[in-house]
């Protein structure tokens, strides 16, 4: 009986449990606010590039961190190095599994070189895997190009427009870090064992791929495709909720108001939408979903999360839904590495306790 009571006292899913002090980011779920190293998301998204935000996140965690321009040059050189690993893309894996398998070829380390090889690797591997899925040969990186421009060129074979590269930068910056989300927590656990940065990032990508975390935007595209027209939205969503399904791109453990990242991405997708009908459909689906969720789940404030407009943005940039989680990982790798370093520099082995609720051994009288 005592054991049972203790079991019930646990915070399910560790909701509300504080497991780290961090200088990296703060998620205020009541105000719908995200702060990254002292900057509001709105001060960074659409205004900084991937290399600049990499510098912001890694600052203080490596004694030999160069200035932002030097870091961008290191990233370019690391993309070239990573390309050597795409000689053997494993067959029979989905996109995120293939990128994870290629990442596992990067030796573990805790130094700046490893820290830069990992985000460079995720982008080069994602581009190579995306091309392989279309039956095309991987394209080598251009170390002189900026990271987002080079990534899109490696996927498509031609240079993106300035708006497209800016939209990818906005996306990567928007998702670079987000408090102690599931993958970042998992990364900190691995880092706390001193396993090394590659192991920590592999833990992160493995955790991110689940549909309740970074795997949601692919199913958002499927939902929009199935709904097809705004007039079908209400009936489709009601049927899904009646079947007990979750609407992908809605709800969040921390946010009780709209996820600020959703608006940053919606703004970034507008200049891209050659297919403005798609954006109009998404807006209609979003409005219907929010209405139905408030009617059906009145006890929980379920709002649009980052994944809904991630789907629209990455689709408009030409990525396939199966590749979306890999692109998410491109941005989030920066946050994972910064958290891993913070854990190693300031933390202790993470080893929580559990309450045993199984059978009690029978002791012979
Ligand atoms: N659609 C329908 N119902 C939902 C949704 C949703 N998207 N999200 C939560 N609910 C319901 C639950 O069914 C539950 O209802 P009940 O009490 O009647 O059973 C209630 O709201 C509370 O749900 P929890 O599971 O306690 O919420 P939790 O904080 O654990 O989950 C999560 C958060 C996983 C994000 C959830 O909202 C969800 O599954 N969303 C859909 C998947 C998604 O969009 N994931 C991406 C999140 S953003 C990110 O990780 C980058």
């Amino acid at each position: 009986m005592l054991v049972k009571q203790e079991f019930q006292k646990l915070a399910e899913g560790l909701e509300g449990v504080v497991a780290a002090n961090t200088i990296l980011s703060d998620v205020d779920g009541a105000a719908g606010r995200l702060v990254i190293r002292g900057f509001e998301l709105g001060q960074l998204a659409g205004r900084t590039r991937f290399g600049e935000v990499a510098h912001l996140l890694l600052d203080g965690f490596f004694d030999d961190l160069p200035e932002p321009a030097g870091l961008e040059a290191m990233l370019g050189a690391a993309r070239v190095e990573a390309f050597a690993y795409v000689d053997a893309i494993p067959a029979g894996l989905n996109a995120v599994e293939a990128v994870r398998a290629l990442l596992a070829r990067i030796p573990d380390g805790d130094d700046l070189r490893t820290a830069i090889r990992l985000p460079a690797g995720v982008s080069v591997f994602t581009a190579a895997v995306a091309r392989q899925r279309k039956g095309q040969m991987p394209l080598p990186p251009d170390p002189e190009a900026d990271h987002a421009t080079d990534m899109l060129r490696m996927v498509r074979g031609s240079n993106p427009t300035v708006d497209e590269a800016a939209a990818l930068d906005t996306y990567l910056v928007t998702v670079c870090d987000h408090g102690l989300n599931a993958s970042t927590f998992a990364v900190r656990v691995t880092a706390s064992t001193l396993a090394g940065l590659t192991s920590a990032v592999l833990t992160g990508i493995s955790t991110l791929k689940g549909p309740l975390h970074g795997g949601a935007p692919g199913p958002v595209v499927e939902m929009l495709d199935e709904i097809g027209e705004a007039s079908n939205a209400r009936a489709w969503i009601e049927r899904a909720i009646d079947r007990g399904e979750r609407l992908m791109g809605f709800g969040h453990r921390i946010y009780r108001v709209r996820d600020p990242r959703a608006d940053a991405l919606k703004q970034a997708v507008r200049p891209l939408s050659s297919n403005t009908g798609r954006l109009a459909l998404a807006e209609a689906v979003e409005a219907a979903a929010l209405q139905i969720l408030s009617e059906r789940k009145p006890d929980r404030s379920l709002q649009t999360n980052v994944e809904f407009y991630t789907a629209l943005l990455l689709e408009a940039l030409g990525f396939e839904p199966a590749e979306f989680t890999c692109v998410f990982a491109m941005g989030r790798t920066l946050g994972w590495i910064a958290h891993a370093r913070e854990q190693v520099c300031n933390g202790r082995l993470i080893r929580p306790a559990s309450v045993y609720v199984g059978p009690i051994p029978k002791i012979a009288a």
Side-chain angles (χ1 to χ4, degrees):
M1 194 60 179
L2 179 67
V3 168
K4 179 81 175 158
Q5 279 168 355
E6 280 186 45
F7 181 61
Q8 285 169 348
K9 264 192 260 158
L10 296 180
E12 272 187 46
L14 300 186
E15 182 159 2
V17 172
V18 175
N21 288 317
T22 182
I23 60 165
L24 294 167
S25 60
D26 182 42
V27 183
D28 181 339
R33 207 169 153 222
L34 169 60
V35 170
I36 299 172
R37 293 210 78 167
F39 293 92
E40 296 279 354
L41 175 63
Q43 294 175 284
L44 298 175
R47 293 160 189 245
T48 41
R49 297 189 321 179
F50 183 79
E52 293 166 321
V53 90
H55 190 273
L56 182 70
L57 282 168
L58 301 184
D59 193 17
F61 294 115
F62 297 96
D63 291 339
D64 52 349
L65 188 74
E67 289 306 301
L71 192 65
E72 295 213 29
M74 273 188 85
L75 259 172
R79 288 196 301 276
V80 173
E81 251 186 85
F83 191 68
Y85 291 121
V86 305
D87 58 347
I89 300 177
L93 301 179
N94 69 28
V96 71
E97 290 163 351
V99 169
R100 182 177 60 184
L102 290 168
L103 267 180
R105 298 183 69 184
I106 297 179
D108 247 321
D110 259 324
D111 55 339
L112 180 64
R113 180 159 182 245
T114 310
I116 300 305
R117 289 175 101 188
L118 289 161
V122 181
S123 61
V124 170
F125 303 154
T126 299
V129 166
R131 286 183 71 82
Q132 189 213 35
R133 289 166 55 83
K134 295 187 192 92
Q136 298 166 335
M137 291 297 287
L139 288 174
D142 171 3
E144 306 298 325
D146 96 281
H147 194 73
T149 305
D150 201 29
M151 201 283 169
L152 287 172
R153 185 197 52 79
M154 284 189 286
V155 173
R156 300 165 174 190
S158 60
N159 275 328
T161 65
V162 171
D163 279 348
E164 287 170 330
L168 182 59
D169 256 329
T170 300
Y171 175 71
L172 297 175
V173 169
T174 298
V175 301
C176 70
D177 197 41
H178 200 243
L180 210 56
N181 58 84
S183 56
T184 301
F185 177 57
V187 160
R188 288 190 79 123
V189 172
T190 300
S192 83
T193 72
L194 307 186
L197 289 172
T198 302
S199 297
V201 167
L202 288 168
T203 302
I205 198 166
S206 301
T207 310
L208 185 73
K209 79 192 265 287
L212 297 191
H213 190 12
V220 169
V221 168
E222 285 163 25
M223 173 172 72
L224 294 178
D225 287 344
E226 281 179 31
I227 290 175
E229 285 179 26
S231 57
N232 299 333
R234 196 172 169 96
W236 190 98
I237 293 166
E238 281 182 329
R239 280 198 302 275
I241 298 283
D242 287 344
R243 288 193 299 268
E245 290 173 12
R246 288 176 179 223
L247 300 179
M248 294 293 133
F250 296 91
H252 199 273
R253 174 62 60 81
I254 305 286
Y255 290 119
R256 291 293 163 259
V257 296
R258 196 177 167 81
D259 183 335
R261 298 169 299 173
D263 285 328
L265 298 184
K266 186 172 175 182
Q267 217 172 316
V269 82
R270 268 189 209 288
L272 297 182
S273 283
S274 48
N275 181 2
T276 45
R278 190 68 163 168
L279 186 54
L281 171 66
E283 285 174 328
V285 169
E286 181 187 15
L290 293 176
Q291 176 68 36
I292 294 165
L293 287 170
S294 73
E295 292 162 9
R296 297 294 190 90
K297 306 277 176 186
D299 299 337
R300 183 88 164 181
S301 172
L302 297 170
Q303 304 293 327
T304 316
N305 67 42
V306 64
E307 301 291 46
F308 192 74
Y309 285 102
T310 287
L312 269 266
L313 183 80
L314 297 187
E315 184 183 60
L317 287 175
F319 290 100
E320 296 291 327
E323 295 147 16
F324 290 175
T325 309
C326 307
V327 189
F328 191 159
M330 275 176 65
R332 185 55 61 84
T333 302
L334 296 177
W336 290 334
I337 290 167
H339 276 272
R341 290 294 299 153
E342 186 176 52
Q343 181 64 39
V344 167
C345 296
N346 306 329
R348 215 175 146 211
L349 173 72
I350 297 175
R351 203 301 184 191
S354 52
V355 177
Y356 178 66
V357 293
I360 295 176
K362 292 188 180 66
I363 299 166

